Amino acid sequence: MPPQDNSRNTIIFVVIAVIMLLAYNVFVMAPQAERRKAAQQAAAEQTTAAATAAPSPGVVVFTEDRTVALGRGGARVPIQTGTVTGSLSLRGARIDDLFLTKYQETIEEGSPAVELFRPEGMRHAYQAQFGWNGPNVPGGVPGPQTPWRLTEGATLTTATPVTLTWDNGAGLRFTRRIAVDDQYLFTITDTVANFSAQPIAIAPWGRIERQGVPDELGRQQVLHEGGIGTFGTPGDYATQQLKYKAWAKKPVQEHTSTGGWMGITDKYWLAALIPQQDERIQAAFRVTDAAHADIHSATMLGETHTIAPGRQITETQRLFAGAKRNEILSAYEKQLNLPRFIYAIDWGFLFFLTRPIFLLVELFYGWFGNFGLAILGLTLTVRLIMFPLANKSYESMSKMRTLQPKMEELKKKHPDDPAAQQKELMALYQKEKINPLAGCLPLLLQIPVFYAVYKMLFVTIEMRHAPFFGWIRDLSAADPSTIWNLFGLIPWDPSSAPLIGAYLGGTFALSILAIFYGLTMWLQMAMSPPAPDPMQRRIFQFMPIVFTFIMATFPAGLLIYWAWSNILTIIQQYVIMHRLKAENPIDTFLLRFKKA
């Protein structure tokens, strides 16, 4: 079949595929989206109506009003520090109302603080609880519904701990002192006094519990969200991860450990139980079926203690509830001797690259005061490290470019004998001391670095809402500018367009950074030796266009890194090509400009 027929068939195939995709969106996806929206609206109206009506027995009624939910739990103790605010419920002494005041939901002014814990009665309730396990204890032990009394303090602050008390009516007094530091660490100190005439045996426990999983969690393929913990024995610890989806398939996962820690992690936030590091614990991740939602819990059971009559014991547990900042986790790891606590941040399988790259970016941030400039400094550092190897590669590529006329002569000399062409071509490479594969090596080495930079931008909270300059207000999110509204000159949101809005705001998004990146990629490829095969040349010509669309959805910080890397590569290639007197598009353009 002639080449032009192949090209025509390819174009016809692409056109038909696009038509089918648009038709599928119009007649299938759009109606489904409308039905989902209608169902969500109906569910919201039903929830609102149910909240104002008397609930039927056995029916769980959620409220969207936090004040209503907080009121249902009885008396509360306010929590107020420089980093968190909220309250704890005296019913069960549970910490179930917590906001992280240093972080906002969005970059918009007036955006509310990030919510970590949510009280019972609201959808996706999320809380931390502590208690004692003692099945044969006369009078019982405190649990999730125990009505504690506030006996000391009024507001939990860094300077004023609070003390709670509960008597079981059979000679046991439970005293709980709760303190919080200036970051995100709560210390729960439980004292049990035995005033009865017989010894008792009890064991402490702690539990983090989330009712259901919010829709926005657990959907990222490159990120771990769900159960996490480090278990083992001193000198032999391992971090275990259990994603929300895998958690549902395996409803119970148990571990025995000396010390360690465990909890539930989201992308940027963590709730973790921390026992005494010399204590033997039984840890379990569980999913429990419930009428309203599956309950995900991370539970830690400590050693059993026997309390003789007239004696008392004290047990200390800790709760981390906050943002996964590198320096904070690292400080707690050293302070409490926690194993691998820094790996609560999902550094990925290339952690040996991701974390050093992050630390280098933090170093540059300390110098420049801007994470965008820090990324530029990182890029320059990477290019300097690879400079010797890249230099040899670009020299080889430049020599190949000067050999293009000779290579064309070889094709003409053996037009119908590819084997002979290849043999003489390799002899030519050997004579000129050229390695045709040398150009691939710097690119292959940059792939893991590129992924590590992407991972670093994606998982580290330091990058979250970090601005660059101008319209780039969040380096961890995609460039918000788009060509479809002339980069903001037209007051219109392309994603709101009927039928094609999802594509204009997603697949076919084109931002300023993406276009700039595409231009640098095109120029870099134009300076490389052309492929010998016409079809390969055509494919390489389309690659900058394809990658421009692909990269448009990536974080702005990654585009800044890659475009700046391309610019440094272009400068290095230009200097080498100019020195070797190899033809290059920059000199060609400047020559045409001078003639004009």
Side-chain angles (χ1 to χ4, degrees):
M1 184 179 290
Q4 57 267 33
D5 288 345
N6 281 331
S7 300
R8 184 187 62 191
N9 291 339
T10 301
I11 294 172
I12 292 174
F13 170 78
V14 172
V15 171
I16 292 175
V18 170
I19 292 174
M20 291 177 64
L21 187 63
L22 290 175
Y24 181 76
N25 182 69
V26 173
F27 296 110
V28 179
M29 297 300 291
Q32 287 182 358
E34 289 297 326
R35 286 195 294 270
R36 283 196 302 270
K37 185 177 180 181
Q40 291 172 355
Q41 186 174 358
E45 292 174 355
Q46 185 177 2
T47 300
T48 303
T52 59
S56 302
V59 175
V60 178
V61 178
F62 294 110
T63 177
E64 299 299 319
D65 190 330
R66 195 181 198 88
T67 304
V68 172
L70 293 174
R72 289 175 180 173
R76 308 191 72 86
V77 178
I79 301 173
Q80 187 69 53
T81 76
T83 53
V84 298
T85 186
S87 63
L88 64 89
S89 173
L90 290 182
R91 188 185 71 183
R94 63 183 75 191
I95 302 174
D96 61 353
D97 172 36
L98 201 66
F99 289 89
L100 311 181
T101 54
K102 288 192 173 182
Y103 299 95
Q104 279 64 51
E105 292 287 353
T106 68
I107 60 174
E108 302 303 324
E109 187 176 352
S111 176
V114 166
E115 175 196 62
L116 184 64
F117 287 154
R118 176 178 290 190
E120 196 86 31
M122 299 185 72
R123 198 174 300 276
H124 304 308
Y126 191 15
Q127 56 194 302
Q129 305 173 14
F130 299 88
W132 293 89
N133 187 29
N136 300 315
V137 174
V141 293
Q145 304 301 322
T146 298
W148 291 80
R149 293 181 295 113
L150 178 64
T151 54
E152 185 178 340
T155 298
L156 177 57
T157 71
T158 56
T160 57
V162 296
T163 302
L164 315 180
T165 305
W166 181 70
D167 292 285
N168 76 344
L172 293 182
R173 173 171 295 170
F174 297 85
T175 303
R176 175 166 297 172
R177 183 180 185 271
I178 304 176
V180 63
D181 69 1
D182 59 353
Q183 294 295 343
Y184 304 110
L185 192 69
F186 292 82
T187 300
I188 294 87
T189 306
D190 277 329
T191 300
V192 184
N194 183 4
F195 299 109
S196 70
Q198 59 183 353
I200 63 160
I202 58 175
W205 60 261
R207 178 164 62 244
I208 294 169
E209 180 180 287
R210 171 175 260 165
Q211 298 177 4
V213 182
D215 294 337
E216 68 273 12
L217 299 182
R219 298 184 179 276
Q220 302 290 345
Q221 297 301 316
V222 297
L223 174 73
H224 172 73
E225 292 180 299
I228 188 171
T230 295
F231 310 104
T233 56
D236 186 24
Y237 287 101
T239 300
Q240 305 291 328
Q241 296 181 342
L242 187 61
K243 287 193 173 184
Y244 282 120
K245 292 180 181 178
W247 205 342
K249 294 177 183 177
K250 189 176 182 180
V252 179
Q253 188 180 96
E254 298 179 329
H255 301 274
T256 300
S257 178
T258 300
W261 56 274
M262 70 179 303
I264 299 177
T265 183
D266 296 341
K267 181 177 181 179
Y268 296 122
W269 328 112
L270 172 69
L273 301 169
I274 303 171
Q276 295 290 90
Q277 292 305 294
D278 59 353
E279 183 166 359
R280 189 78 171 166
I281 60 166
Q282 301 292 326
F285 297 105
R286 285 191 177 85
V287 175
T288 307
D289 292 332
H292 54 288
D294 289 341
I295 298 177
H296 295 73
S297 63
T299 304
M300 188 176 285
L301 179 66
E303 298 176 4
T304 298
H305 301 272
T306 299
I307 311 175
R311 303 301 295 270
Q312 67 180 33
I313 64 166
T314 297
E315 177 77 18
T316 299
Q317 300 182 77
R318 291 181 173 87
L319 167 71
F320 177 91
K324 298 191 295 185
R325 289 191 67 90
N326 175 73
E327 76 276 10
I328 293 176
L329 297 183
S330 182
Y332 286 140
E333 184 175 291
K334 294 175 182 177
Q335 174 188 339
L336 303 175
N337 196 27
L338 294 181
R340 298 173 61 83
F341 198 48
I342 191 64
Y343 287 93
I345 301 173
D346 184 9
W347 300 107
F349 69 97
L350 292 177
F351 61 91
F352 52 88
L353 283 178
T354 310
R355 191 156 183 246
I357 283 174
F358 168 75
L359 295 176
L360 186 58
V361 169
E362 268 208 324
L363 175 65
F364 286 133
Y365 175 74
W367 294 350
F368 304 136
N370 183 288
F371 274 113
L373 295 178
I375 291 172
L376 296 182
L378 166 71
T379 313
L380 183 59
T381 303
V382 172
R383 298 304 307 174
L384 288 174
I385 292 173
M386 295 186 176
F387 182 84
L389 181 63
N391 225 38
K392 291 182 179 180
S393 171
Y394 299 146
E395 283 183 1
S396 181
M397 291 169 63
S398 297
K399 290 179 181 179
M400 285 181 64
R401 196 174 181 90
T402 61
L403 291 180
Q404 285 300 122
K406 293 183 179 181
M407 294 166 65
E408 292 298 328
E409 289 177 9
L410 289 178
K411 291 181 183 179
K412 293 177 182 179
K413 184 178 178 181
H414 305 284
D416 301 319
D417 192 351
Q421 286 183 25
Q422 189 67 20
K423 184 179 179 180
E424 292 203 26
L425 185 61
M426 295 309 295
L428 180 62
Y429 286 155
Q430 189 173 6
K431 178 183 176 182
E432 299 292 338
K433 298 181 180 179
I434 294 175
N435 181 3
L437 300 178
C440 301
L441 192 56
L443 180 61
L444 291 176
L445 290 176
Q446 281 219 64
I447 289 176
V449 177
F450 174 81
Y451 177 80
V453 172
Y454 167 66
K455 185 79 171 179
M456 180 267 297
L457 287 166
F458 192 74
V459 304
T460 56
I461 194 171
E462 288 80 358
M463 299 297 121
R464 180 182 185 266
H465 296 176
F468 186 37
F469 294 113
W471 72 99
I472 306 298
R473 300 169 62 193
D474 186 356
L475 289 168
S476 68
D479 181 352
S481 66
T482 173
I483 194 175
W484 307 119
N485 62 9
L486 296 182
F487 308 116
L489 293 178
I490 301 175
W492 171 65
D493 181 9
S495 63
S496 64
L499 305 182
I500 61 172
Y503 298 103
L504 296 182
T507 308
F508 299 110
L510 272 181
S511 63
I512 294 175
L513 276 180
I515 293 173
F516 180 70
Y517 159 80
L519 291 173
T520 62
M521 183 179 182
W522 168 81
L523 182 55
Q524 184 184 356
M525 296 191 70
M527 298 177 75
S528 302
D533 182 67
M535 182 56 70
Q536 290 181 2
R537 284 202 297 268
R538 188 174 301 175
I539 291 173
F540 286 140
Q541 287 170 357
F542 276 102
M543 279 182 62
I545 299 175
V546 173
F547 272 86
T548 296
F549 283 99
I550 292 175
M551 295 295 291
T553 60
F554 278 66
L558 194 66
L559 279 171
I560 291 171
Y561 168 84
W562 204 247
W564 178 229
S565 179
N566 286 348
I567 291 172
L568 295 175
T569 299
I570 290 167
I571 294 172
Q572 189 175 3
Q573 278 184 280
Y574 175 77
V575 171
I576 293 173
M577 295 176 78
H578 201 266
R579 175 164 52 85
L580 296 176
K581 294 183 170 46
E583 181 185 359
N584 66 82
I586 296 178
D587 283 341
T588 302
F589 173 77
L590 292 176
L591 185 61
R592 289 179 181 175
F593 182 77
K594 288 180 180 179
K595 288 182 179 180

